């Protein structure tokens, strides 16, 4: 099981000014947390509650249908291109980066066991997209287009380019076999298109929003297509969920993480740094940044009052950022709370040779040591230096990076976000703040009905809204 260690947020460790009197605050919030956790889980099936993602780890039928499709196409495709953005992309990418060989795309077909290489198109920058099409073989490429709404300009424009590319290069009857669509069961623009064209489809279930969708087909289909065990991920979620459903604050790591982050935000620490000490988990930082920012950064509270609240998440990765951001983390403003992710043991280790520069005294301490020992020492030291500098920090530890524990990590952070949303008194499942720029884009691109916004979008009028 993964574990959360929060001892370094205590006043005892980082001082009263920067830390929390944990016994006191846990006592103070015990009842409130109990109500919140009970309410969240009670609402997991409520229409319009946006909490159906709590059920995904138990959905055996979903796992079966994904595995069945993955099995049916095995060996047909050398490359898989996922078209999606935000919640429709970040989780799947983090998942493949963590659970596949770190240089998967460079492995031979044989070493990949006939499973596809993967690419994610999550930008409309043609310097990313055009070279990809130059490189791919249409006969051997599968596109997985993911959009709950089907109206997302970035995803749909890339999809139209991909479809045209397939049509130019394949027989008409073949094209649909190279496209899978993941979208809403009934609503949206992509659903009728997919049904009409006869694509294989999977659902983004009702009441599962983008950034909470990694454990439906959005994240799990790319995983299954690359041979990752969906069953192990679901088992990991189920086993952890027993603790996360527990209304007792002292036993619930998601509630502990949420409460600590909330209280430190309220006490002048608006920045939340997420720093895995793992190359394989580096992209989890990007996923976390979106989850935390889009869920908690809100103008209005649940009563409609303007509060402009929300912690700013910052991405970091150990050990790389020790030579980049850690100077700021240790000596800059006291405005941050840190979440480290540590991994018990790497899948592979290396020994630093003992006889390479034996004449160089300053390097002798490295001789013959496992590289993992250096990684651990650097993690422990960075954490200790932050603690000495009175910077509150939490550590989530995974025994190893595998499907079971990876799923636990993401699920823990999802539940933590839902609880944090309640503590902040906001709706963590909406994202009204991204709408305005979308409307301006529609205006600039000539979408019907948005003409009036053109001068504002061009910056010719200063009104923020029309
Ligand atoms: O978390 C979210 O809700 C968003 O990031 C969406 O996932 C993103 O905007 C893409 O939306 P869609 O799946 O409708 O294309």
């Amino acid at each position: 099981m993964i574990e959360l260690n929060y001892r370094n947020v205590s006043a005892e460790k980082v001082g009263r000014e920067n830390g929390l009197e944990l016994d006191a605050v846990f006592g103070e919030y015990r009842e409130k947390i109990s109500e919140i956790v009970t309410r969240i889980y009670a609402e997991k099936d409520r229409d319009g509650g946006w909490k159906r993602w709590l059920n995904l780890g138990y959905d055996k039928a979903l796992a079966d249908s994904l595995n069945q499709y993955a099995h049916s196409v095995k060996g047909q495709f050398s490359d898989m291109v996922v078209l999606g953005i935000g919640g429709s992309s970040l989780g799947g990418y983090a998942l493949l980066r963590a659970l596949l060989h770190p240089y998967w795309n460079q492995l031979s077909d044989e070493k990949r066991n006939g499973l596809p290489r993967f690419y994610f198109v999550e930008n409309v920058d043609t310097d990313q997209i055009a070279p990809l099409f130059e490189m791919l073989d249409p006969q051997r490429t599968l596109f997985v287009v993911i959009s709950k709404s089907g109206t997302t300009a970035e995803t749909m424009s890339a999809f139209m380019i991909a479809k045209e590319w397939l049509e130019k290069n394949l027989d008409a009857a073949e094209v649909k076999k190279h496209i899978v669509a993941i979208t809403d069961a009934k609503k949206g623009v992509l659903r009728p298109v997919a049904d009409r064209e006869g694509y294989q489809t999977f659902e983004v279930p009702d009441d599962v929003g983008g950034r909470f969708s990694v454990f439906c087909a959005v994240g799990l289909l790319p995983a299954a297509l690359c041979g990752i065990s969906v069953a192990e991920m679901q088992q990991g979620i189920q086993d952890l969920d027993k603790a996360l459903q527990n209304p007792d604050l002292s036993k619930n790591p998601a509630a502990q993480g949420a409460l600590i982050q909330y209280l430190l935000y309220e006490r002048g620490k608006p920045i939340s740094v997420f720093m895995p000490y793992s190359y394989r988990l580096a992209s989890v930082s990007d996923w976390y940044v979106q989850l935390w920012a889009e869920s908690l950064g809100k103008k209005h509270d649940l009563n409609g009052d303007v509060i402009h609240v929300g912690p700013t998440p910052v991405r970091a990765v150990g050990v790389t950022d020790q030579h980049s951001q850690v100077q700021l983390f240790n000596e800059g403003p006291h405005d941050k709370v840190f979440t480290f992710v540590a991994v018990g043991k790497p899948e592979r280790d290396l020994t630093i040779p003992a006889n390479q520069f034996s004449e160089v005294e300053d390097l002798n301490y490295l001789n013959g040591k496992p590289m993992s020992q250096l990684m651990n020492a650097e993690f422990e030291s960075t954490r200790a230096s932050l603690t000495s500098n009175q910077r509150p920090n939490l550590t989530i530890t995974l025994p190893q990076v595998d499907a079971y524990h990876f799923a636990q990590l993401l699920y823990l952070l999802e539940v933590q976000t839902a609880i944090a949303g309640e503590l902040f008194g906001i709706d963590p499942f909406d994202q009204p703040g991204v709408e305005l720029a979308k409307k301006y884009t529609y205006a600039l691109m000539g979408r019907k009905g948005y003409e009036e916004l053109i001068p504002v979008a061009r910056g010719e009028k200063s009104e923020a809204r029309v």
Side-chain angles (χ1 to χ4, degrees):
M1 205 69 104
I2 66 166
E3 278 174 15
L4 174 72
N5 177 334
Y6 53 79
R7 67 171 183 265
N8 289 343
V9 304
S10 67
E12 200 190 320
K13 290 279 185 183
V14 294
R16 292 187 68 171
E17 217 175 294
N18 293 294
L20 301 170
E21 301 287 355
L22 283 171
D23 286 346
V25 292
F26 273 31
E28 196 185 322
Y29 278 86
R30 182 151 290 136
E31 217 166 296
K32 180 160 185 165
I33 288 289
S34 172
E35 277 166 31
I36 289 175
V37 172
T38 307
R39 185 167 56 245
I40 287 175
Y41 276 91
E43 289 193 345
K44 68 189 169 64
D45 295 312
R46 182 171 74 76
D47 289 342
W50 290 97
K51 296 187 190 69
R52 287 217 157 93
W53 50 274
L54 288 163
N55 297 315
L56 296 172
Y58 298 85
D59 194 339
K60 172 113 183 15
L62 168 69
D64 289 346
S65 67
L66 297 172
N67 287 333
Q68 207 177 351
Y69 174 72
H71 183 72
S72 73
V73 296
K74 188 166 178 212
Q76 284 179 37
F77 301 109
S78 56
D79 298 275
M80 167 181 75
V81 182
V82 177
L83 308 171
I85 196 165
S88 289
S89 150
L90 290 161
Y93 186 69
L95 203 162
L96 298 191
R97 280 272 328 261
L99 300 179
L100 294 176
H101 185 289
Y103 302 100
W104 177 257
N105 282 0
Q106 282 74 48
L107 297 180
S108 65
D109 284 353
E110 198 189 345
K111 287 211 166 130
R112 293 195 324 276
N113 194 21
L115 297 165
R117 289 177 282 261
F118 68 88
Y119 304 91
F120 279 67
V121 172
E122 43 13 5
N123 203 321
V124 290
D125 187 340
T126 44
D127 282 343
Q128 179 195 14
I129 303 171
L132 187 59
F133 285 101
E134 288 162 18
M135 198 176 74
L136 294 171
D137 173 0
Q139 305 282 349
R140 304 270 293 145
T141 301
L142 177 69
F143 290 92
V144 180
V145 54
I146 308 179
S147 179
K148 183 170 172 77
S149 62
T151 51
T152 305
E154 296 87 346
T155 303
M156 295 311 284
S157 57
F159 177 46
M160 288 187 254
I161 291 172
K163 181 167 172 283
E164 182 190 54
W165 180 77
L166 288 172
E167 284 165 355
K168 278 187 184 151
N169 290 289
L170 299 176
D171 293 342
E174 288 299 302
V175 171
K176 67 178 181 193
K177 297 182 193 156
H178 291 249
I179 297 169
V180 183
I182 302 176
T183 188
D184 195 277
K186 297 187 204 81
K187 297 191 286 283
V189 177
L190 183 54
R191 170 57 59 183
V193 169
D195 289 346
R196 189 189 67 220
E197 302 276 331
Y199 303 149
Q200 170 74 43
T201 61
F202 292 93
E203 285 175 20
V204 185
D206 276 348
D207 285 321
V208 174
R211 56 196 175 273
F212 291 84
S213 69
V214 59
F215 296 119
C216 72
V218 170
L220 297 187
L221 181 66
L225 286 165
C226 290
I228 294 166
S229 169
V230 172
E232 271 175 44
M233 283 191 270
Q234 292 193 334
Q235 192 59 54
I237 292 170
Q238 288 172 26
D239 291 349
L240 178 67
D241 205 25
K242 294 183 186 90
L244 305 194
Q245 288 191 35
N246 194 333
D248 181 348
L249 175 58
S250 67
K251 301 208 170 72
N252 185 328
Q256 292 159 358
L259 179 62
I260 287 166
Q261 297 251 11
Y262 164 71
L263 290 173
L264 289 172
Y265 174 91
E266 293 288 311
R267 294 172 193 196
K269 304 208 185 299
I271 298 176
S272 171
V273 178
F274 191 82
M275 188 166 182
Y277 266 74
S278 161
Y279 175 77
R280 296 172 66 178
L281 296 179
S283 295
V284 176
S285 295
D286 297 316
W287 175 84
Y288 171 79
V289 162
Q290 191 227 3
L291 180 72
W292 207 237
E294 212 166 79
S295 302
L296 302 179
K298 298 289 153 76
K299 179 174 177 182
H300 294 107
D301 67 11
L302 292 171
N303 299 320
D305 293 331
V306 174
I307 55 168
H308 291 296
V309 82
T312 300
V314 168
R315 171 197 202 279
V317 64
V319 304
T320 315
D321 273 292
Q322 289 174 200
H323 297 261
S324 168
Q325 301 190 83
V326 167
Q327 166 62 32
L328 170 77
F329 295 168
N330 263 320
E331 294 192 350
H334 281 277
D335 57 0
K336 300 175 192 68
V337 52
F338 298 85
T339 302
F340 292 112
V341 183
V343 176
K345 67 174 171 61
E347 202 175 297
R348 305 164 177 81
D349 208 343
L350 291 169
T351 303
I352 305 166
N355 53 2
Q356 282 298 313
F357 301 116
S358 39
E359 75 289 2
V360 184
E361 182 132 0
D362 282 349
L363 295 176
N364 274 351
Y365 72 98
L366 295 170
N367 290 355
K369 306 264 168 63
M371 203 74 155
S372 60
Q373 188 182 340
L374 179 60
M375 179 86 158
N376 281 337
E378 296 205 23
F379 160 59
E380 295 284 359
S381 321
T382 302
R383 182 170 65 167
S385 72
L386 285 166
T387 310
S388 302
N389 283 317
Q390 306 205 317
R391 316 284 157 155
N393 58 82
L394 306 127
T395 302
I396 300 171
T397 304
L398 277 70
Q400 59 207 44
V401 179
D402 56 19
Y404 180 89
H405 296 103
F406 176 84
Q408 291 190 338
L409 174 64
L410 268 59
Y411 188 66
L412 171 75
L413 294 169
E414 286 182 336
V415 177
Q416 174 178 294
T417 306
I419 297 172
E422 294 267 350
L423 288 166
F424 280 107
I426 51 90
D427 180 354
F429 304 110
D430 67 3
Q431 53 283 326
V434 298
E435 291 309 313
L436 193 59
K438 271 194 204 172
K439 285 182 188 160
Y440 289 171
T441 304
Y442 295 151
L444 293 178
M445 292 297 288
R447 185 170 170 180
K448 226 170 143 206
Y450 292 83
E451 296 80 2
E452 271 185 55
L453 291 177
I454 293 172
V456 189
R458 282 191 186 140
E460 293 161 4
K461 270 169 92 180
S462 59
E463 293 96 312
R465 285 162 201 284
V466 170

